[in-house]
């Protein structure tokens, strides 16, 4: 039986599907892959805005902030993102 849709993952206010889209985009950017185009509803989310900024400026600190926002963690946010299924 499929797991029910979870909402407000890590205090982001996002449902699981949207959180995963942003997570994959942040990880892609972190590993130098082309980041996917986000749906309009996610382009306005703070993480989506940070990804757009990263595309223009390529500053790692922007991705670090995006990872912290997605996980709600100040430390080990990258580890949590990579381990999340």
């Amino acid at each position: 039986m499929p797991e029910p849709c979870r909402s407000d993952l890590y205090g982001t206010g996002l449902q699981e599907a949207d959180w995963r889209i942003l997570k994959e985009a942040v990880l892609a950017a972190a590993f130098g892959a082309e980041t996917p185009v986000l749906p309009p509803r996610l382009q306005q989310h703070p993480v989506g805005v940070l990804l757009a900024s990263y595309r223009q400026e390529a500053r790692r600190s922007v991705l670090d902030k995006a990872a912290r926002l997605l996980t709600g963690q100040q430390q080990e946010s990258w580890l949590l993102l990579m381990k999340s299924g």
Side-chain angles (χ1 to χ4, degrees), residues 10 12 14 19 22-23 25-27 29-30 45-54 59-73 77-78 81:
Y10 300 104
T12 60
L14 294 167
W19 185 88
L22 289 173
K23 172 198 134 178
V26 168
L27 288 175
H45 187 275
V47 174
V49 172
L50 287 168
L51 280 167
S53 175
Y54 177 77
R59 287 190 351 233
R60 176 64 185 219
S61 62
V62 172
L63 287 182
D64 292 339
K65 185 173 183 179
R68 289 191 303 270
L69 285 174
L70 279 175
T71 62
Q73 302 292 317
S77 54
W78 286 108
L81 275 185

Side-chain angles (χ1 to χ4, degrees), residues 6-23:
R6 298 182 293 171
S7 61
D8 199 24
L9 285 177
Y10 300 104
T12 60
L14 294 167
Q15 292 191 352
E16 183 175 12
D18 285 344
W19 185 88
R20 289 188 181 284
I21 290 169
L22 289 173
K23 172 198 134 178

